[in-house]
Amino acid sequence: MFGPFNALLGLFSRDLGIDLGTANTLVYVKDRGIMLAEPSVVATDTHTSRVLAVGAEAKKMVGRTPTNIVASRPLRDGVIADFDTVHAMLSYFIGQVHGELPIAARPRVIVGVPSGVTEVEKRAVHEASLQAGAREVYLIEEPMAAAIGAGQPIQEASGSMIVDIGGGTTEVAVISLGGVVVSHSIRIAGDEVDEQIVDYCRNAHNLLIGERTAEACKIAIGSAAPGLQEETTVVRGRDLQTGLPRQVELTEGQIREAISGPVTEIVENIKLALEATPPELLADVMEHGIAVAGGGALLRGLDKRIEQETDIPVHIANNPLEAVVRGTGACLHNLEAFREVFVAENAAPYV
């Protein structure tokens, strides 16, 4: 009786692909493209537990709130750290692109998750997505989604290597015939780089800076290898000796030295994945090169550094920040063709 009615409602449903990132969340709407890209930040009132702002508006509040307001990122290292806040954030984002519709017209959702997450962490993502308004939830490993979004030939009998460097995790995978052959995941990425800049300013200059200042410094002069011209930037913070405001000029070389630890860890993770790759697939990778996606791909000189240490060509994916969400979008357009890439058992949504 209700079959035709539900089918009609389904015509109004707009299926979604979500890159639920530690630093940013992107939402792809089927047949419309990327409709939302916002920081994964939520501001809440600690007295009432009421959500005050989400996304870009909440990020403006980081480090600038009174004691009763907390602006925080509810995801850490690529996984949910605060379930209720993630639920609120997802509900807001899904509502922004999908609007209010009857239950039968709620969207199917594909969510990218790090390859190293546990079953409990997968279940948390699934439950948060359902509570946020999804009708069905499919999970896909982020390196697989990034490879699809970067245009890698994942269905062919040929090895493709993808490196996805996000805010909380770095994912390295070798993919062939639609499956992950080798996968390495470490919880060192953009956030760790920011922390190292904060530590450097504290230890070398007795200057206390916030995470937003550190991120801006990384974007301005961060690099993994020397360039043709060394840039400088000015950072402002609090002098730890006097307690007064002070500014310091930093050079690209200083920041490169400060972040050398996490950059080295990322490169070593890539080398470990190469060591574990079967010879035939390794030959394919040497021929086709390594694709790098995620926000970390924008760190200047990183491709050069990886090339120097692996002797394999490296190329940055087009729009690396969008690779994962574009991969989920490609899956939305043909669920059957990509059914084997989903994390959920037998490619079925969690129920």
Side-chain angles (χ1 to χ4, degrees), residues 324-342:
V324 171
V325 77
R326 289 194 180 279
T328 64
C331 293
L332 283 175
H333 287 280
N334 198 340
L335 283 173
E336 290 302 322
F338 289 105
R339 193 162 279 276
E340 69 273 13
V341 308
F342 295 124

Side-chain angles (χ1 to χ4, degrees), residues 90-302:
L90 276 175
S91 296
Y92 174 81
F93 289 151
I94 290 176
Q96 286 290 100
V97 300
H98 196 275
E100 293 294 331
L101 286 174
I103 292 176
R106 287 181 176 179
R108 292 180 297 181
V109 174
I110 300 176
V111 185
V113 294
S115 59
V117 298
T118 65
E119 289 300 320
V120 173
E121 291 165 340
K122 292 175 191 174
R123 176 67 64 174
V125 173
H126 163 256
E127 292 295 337
S129 301
L130 280 182
Q131 290 188 25
R135 170 166 48 102
E136 297 176 4
V137 181
Y138 296 83
L139 303 182
I140 182 172
E141 292 184 350
E142 288 176 351
M144 177 66 78
I148 296 171
Q152 299 281 76
I154 67 160
Q155 303 284 10
E156 297 180 7
S158 176
S160 301
M161 175 172 271
I162 183 77
V163 179
D164 179 30
I165 308 171
T169 60
T170 295
E171 315 273 337
V172 184
V174 177
I175 300 168
S176 179
L177 290 172
V180 176
V181 181
V182 176
S183 177
H184 278 251
S185 176
I186 58 172
R187 297 190 174 184
I188 295 175
D191 287 350
E192 183 73 15
V193 171
D194 295 343
E195 290 171 11
Q196 291 300 309
I197 294 174
V198 172
D199 290 345
Y200 172 79
C201 290
R202 181 191 298 114
N203 297 330
H205 298 282
N206 273 328
L207 188 72
L208 181 63
I209 64 172
E211 61 179 52
R212 289 190 64 190
T213 300
E215 182 183 23
C217 179
K218 174 184 69 178
I219 294 171
I221 61 171
S223 67
L228 297 177
Q229 183 177 356
E230 295 285 289
E231 304 287 342
T232 64
T233 192
V234 173
V235 296
R236 298 175 177 86
R238 186 173 72 238
D239 190 302
L240 290 172
Q241 289 184 329
T242 66
L244 298 174
R246 183 163 64 92
Q247 68 180 34
V248 172
E249 185 177 64
L250 300 178
T251 68
E252 187 173 326
Q254 289 173 322
I255 296 302
R256 185 165 56 251
E257 180 63 27
I259 67 176
S260 62
V263 170
T264 299
E265 289 280 354
I266 291 170
V267 174
E268 288 300 315
N269 192 43
I270 296 171
K271 291 163 74 172
L272 286 173
L274 288 169
E275 291 172 8
T277 303
E280 293 295 337
L281 294 181
L282 186 58
D284 294 334
V285 172
M286 293 177 67
E287 180 181 353
H288 302 138
I290 300 171
V292 185
L298 300 176
L299 184 67
R300 286 196 298 276
L302 182 61

